[in-house]
Amino acid sequence: MSDKTVDVAVIGAGISGISAAKKLKNSRLSTIVLEASHRSGGRAYSEELTPGNWFDLGCSYLHDGQRNPFVNIGGMLNIPIDFTNGNLFTPEKTTHICKGQKICFDKIKPFYQNYEKLMHNIKSTKNDIAMAEFIDLEDLYTPLLWHTESNINAADPDQISVLDYARSINNGPDYPVPKGLGNLVKAWSFDVPIKLNTSVKTIEWDKPTAKIITSKGVVCAKSVIITVSTNIMADEDILFLPSLPKQKMSALYNLPMGTLNKVGLAFRKGYLSAADRGWYVCWPEKKDLNEKDVGSFEISTSGNNSAVVFAGGRLGKWLEQRGPKTMVEYAYSKIEEAFGSRSLKNIEKAITTAWTSEPFSKGSYSYSRPSNIRNRKELAKPLENKLFFAGEATDEIHYGTAHGAYFAGLRAAEEVILAQGDQTKADQIVSR
């Protein structure tokens, strides 16, 4: 790529960067999207385990489905969305297994009563403390609750701000995308020109036009939208000259990337039936039960003969550090608890993720440390009408989601359009 001058440079071609670029396209501001990876989509990425069995390594559900823009996008692209199974995570739909035996819902009610109590306390408090402060560590079902929240937040309850979490709680449907949410995002981004394999090294932003030094040349831009993850910025993988202000760096520190790892499993065709489909939670009954003994997985939500085993927070990191073999062994042990040892002989293929060590994100999605509830708003603030910040971590309500990244990209693009005095032109073009 030869040196280039544009109105706007977008750093990162994940969902947020693509969303921003699409909005800017309507404004007629010249735009370039720079992506360090060999592909677009960021943390939205699908792989085919076996024919017809798609595995989303990153985001995999259309959460808050009644407001999620990707529901309509999927419809426009003729990509099927499973509207009949948006309630797989509800207590009544969950299959609970202890010591290899299914447990009736009445026996597991104390767990859900504790969960509802936790949600009530979180919604009621005004203190920005850790979620763990509201959890009874002596309760029999605490390991299940801890495991559940670690998966939802990609971090453990002792690390999570309750005020930040409270803003994100929604009761909307979670729609599966049978052919892969990553594939939906890929199809949606087809008309966005992206410079792949182009890593940004330095952003000099103290002049009227920012100078962006990349692995393939220099780009000069009036405005820069930065959509890379918080850990990429906090670790200074991109050098800002001058350095980002202390408030921005503090926000980055307090919004680190968490870990939610997955193991995708493909079963021999015909082994699983329609009756097996759904969400499972299993654990052995023993006095010294801890989080590592708990397992949660889905069966055949993204393919006819597949399973996805989840491990979040410290457990997810611990498994990742020990490598794919240990991750697969953990996944196998949970499948065996639910379906017996015979089920393992019917597994044909396994894929593992490693989000903590993934060099272009260094984690799955952001969580907030118990500290300053304004961190997300602080991170989203533009600097001198030249540097603009997007990505799921900047959205106060929908953080950690695909649609949160989408909304953040739109917001940043609108801020750029206003900064460059092009709002009237953009509105005229959009209305045509």
Side-chain angles (χ1 to χ4, degrees), residues 152-199:
I152 291 172
N153 293 279
D156 289 61
D158 62 310
Q159 300 171 305
I160 301 163
S161 157
V162 291
L163 294 187
D164 187 66
Y165 181 82
R167 294 186 301 197
S168 73
I169 297 172
N170 74 78
N171 296 312
D174 302 297
Y175 295 131
V177 184
K179 293 186 178 180
L181 178 51
N183 285 334
L184 192 164
V185 171
K186 183 178 179 180
W188 168 65
S189 66
F190 79 98
D191 61 343
V192 177
I194 300 167
K195 299 294 183 184
L196 299 175
N197 299 305
T198 306
S199 58

Side-chain angles (χ1 to χ4, degrees), residues 136-270:
D136 179 4
L137 298 181
E138 301 301 320
D139 185 84
L140 174 65
Y141 292 108
T142 288
L144 275 72
L145 183 60
W146 198 277
H147 174 90
T148 299
E149 289 302 328
S150 297
N151 281 5
I152 291 172
N153 293 279
D156 289 61
D158 62 310
Q159 300 171 305
I160 301 163
S161 157
V162 291
L163 294 187
D164 187 66
Y165 181 82
R167 294 186 301 197
S168 73
I169 297 172
N170 74 78
N171 296 312
D174 302 297
Y175 295 131
V177 184
K179 293 186 178 180
L181 178 51
N183 285 334
L184 192 164
V185 171
K186 183 178 179 180
W188 168 65
S189 66
F190 79 98
D191 61 343
V192 177
I194 300 167
K195 299 294 183 184
L196 299 175
N197 299 305
T198 306
S199 58
V200 172
K201 307 296 184 184
T202 305
I203 301 176
E204 299 175 7
W205 59 284
D206 59 344
K207 300 289 192 298
T209 300
K211 183 179 179 181
I212 304 164
I213 301 170
T214 81
S215 58
K216 292 187 176 179
V218 174
V219 174
C220 295
K222 296 177 186 176
S223 304
V224 183
I225 298 179
I226 300 148
T227 73
V228 300
S229 78
T230 55
N231 279 9
I232 294 294
M233 285 190 283
D235 291 349
E236 299 186 83
D237 291 359
I238 297 174
L239 179 63
F240 289 87
L241 296 175
S243 300
L244 295 176
K246 289 182 180 179
Q247 299 96 314
K248 192 72 73 174
M249 293 303 296
S250 176
L252 289 169
Y253 168 78
N254 285 303
L255 295 169
M257 296 293 286
T259 298
L260 178 61
N261 276 319
K262 307 178 185 180
V263 181
L265 303 172
F267 287 81
R268 185 173 291 114
K269 188 175 181 179

